[in-house]
Amino acid sequence: MSMDLYDEIERRKSCRKFSDEPLSEEQLQEVEVALQGFDLLYPEVTLKHRLATEVKGMFVVRAPHYLIVSGQGKPHELESAGFLFEQLILWFSAQGLGCVWQGGAKSADKDVSGNDLIIIAFGAPKKPPYRQLIEFDRKAIDDITNAPNDPCIQAVHLAPSGMNLQPWYLEQTRNEVLLYKQKISAPQGLLYKLADLDLGIALCHYMLACKHLGKSFSFEGSTDLPAKKGCQPFGVITSEG
């Protein structure tokens, strides 16, 4: 798509207080149009989405709109959802709209919730949905990579994640970047099941940085990576340019 979402990485913040006023039908249609132009992590993975005005569950924020993402119970759906819909999250920011991932929310309609993956709350924010770079609360970048000066990895460093766990490690080699999923210790590791979605979000940020810098981006999921303590292999990123 033509819009460069890279700049939103350094200023977007989660919004938890929304106006009760719903968006117009024209604005909602713009959301659908935007989604058609975003990049896919696995083109063969089919995801669906639907809008709702009510959801239930833990830590649900009150918002005029909820976007519910669902799959078919097949592999790679969570990381595909994170990759695709983080682009929407950043697009919302570019439009001056507020949004937040809702990992603890569930559809209020039990009849269609079987393969739901994640929910995004969105709408007009009560306060500007932006922050300064120094306001990001993240791990030290050296804790997630051996290449802290790489601008693409710096973009990953700002990626949101459930409970702010940032469950990724990027090992830069001469020709590629090996992506690992960090093992989450108990009790969080027993409860949290969306780490793959978080890694999709991280890959989205890496891709957008590549695109901004005029570099190519490709990712291949793989469990055949050198062993790394405290981590599970997730895949290989390659980029050129």
Side-chain angles (χ1 to χ4, degrees):
M1 63 181 297
S2 58
M3 178 178 288
D4 186 349
L5 297 173
Y6 174 80
D7 288 342
E8 300 306 318
I9 289 174
E10 294 189 351
R11 68 177 196 147
R12 176 259 167 191
K13 71 174 180 180
S14 297
C15 176
R16 292 178 173 83
K17 292 185 178 181
F18 297 88
S19 167
D20 291 334
E21 187 71 22
L23 301 183
S24 68
E25 287 300 319
E26 181 180 1
Q27 287 175 300
L28 293 175
Q29 184 58 39
E30 288 175 355
V31 173
E32 297 296 334
V33 172
L35 275 168
Q36 298 304 313
F38 295 147
D39 292 272
L40 302 175
L41 185 62
Y42 290 106
E44 70 275 13
V45 172
T46 299
L47 299 174
K48 295 182 179 180
H49 65 276
R50 63 188 189 275
L51 295 179
T53 56
E54 181 184 358
V55 295
K56 61 183 182 179
M58 297 177 61
F59 311 116
V60 172
V61 302
R62 181 178 177 181
H65 305 285
Y66 301 93
L67 187 145
I68 304 173
V69 182
S70 61
Q72 299 175 324
K74 296 182 178 180
H76 304 304
E77 288 180 345
L78 275 174
E79 59 264 47
S80 295
F83 186 87
L84 173 59
F85 287 93
E86 176 65 5
Q87 293 169 77
L88 181 64
I89 292 279
L90 296 169
W91 182 87
F92 280 139
S93 177
Q95 307 305 310
L97 297 173
C99 59
V100 61
W101 293 99
Q102 293 278 268
K106 295 182 179 180
S107 171
D109 186 350
K110 294 181 179 180
D111 293 337
V112 293
S113 63
N115 288 313
D116 289 348
L117 301 171
I118 190 67
I119 294 175
I120 298 170
F122 70 98
K126 287 189 173 181
K127 296 181 179 179
Y130 308 117
R131 58 182 156 185
Q132 299 294 318
L133 191 58
I134 59 172
E135 296 180 272
F136 280 80
D137 178 20
R138 297 292 185 265
K139 294 176 180 177
I141 194 169
D142 289 334
D143 290 342
I144 68 160
T145 186
N146 68 331
N149 295 320
D150 185 306
C152 296
I153 294 177
Q154 289 173 348
V156 172
H157 185 229
L158 299 178
S161 56
M163 300 193 294
N164 202 26
L165 291 171
Q166 305 150 63
W168 45 68
Y169 191 88
L170 298 97
E171 181 83 23
Q172 189 176 77
T173 69
R174 188 175 66 176
N175 300 316
E176 57 197 14
V177 173
L178 309 180
L179 178 62
Y180 293 86
K181 177 169 61 176
Q182 292 192 355
K183 296 177 182 177
I184 304 171
S185 58
Q188 293 170 319
L190 300 175
L191 301 173
Y192 190 65
K193 306 299 181 184
L194 295 176
D196 287 5
L197 183 131
D198 293 335
L199 269 78
I201 293 173
L203 285 165
C204 170
H205 280 219
Y206 196 105
M207 177 274 294
L208 290 173
C210 285
K211 184 179 290 191
H212 180 77
L213 296 169
K215 302 172 66 174
S216 65
F217 167 87
S218 65
F219 173 76
E220 182 178 355
S222 175
T223 57
D224 187 22
L225 304 183
K228 178 170 289 293
K229 185 178 180 180
C231 297
Q232 298 172 326
F234 200 77
V236 179
I237 302 169
T238 55
S239 61
E240 297 179 358

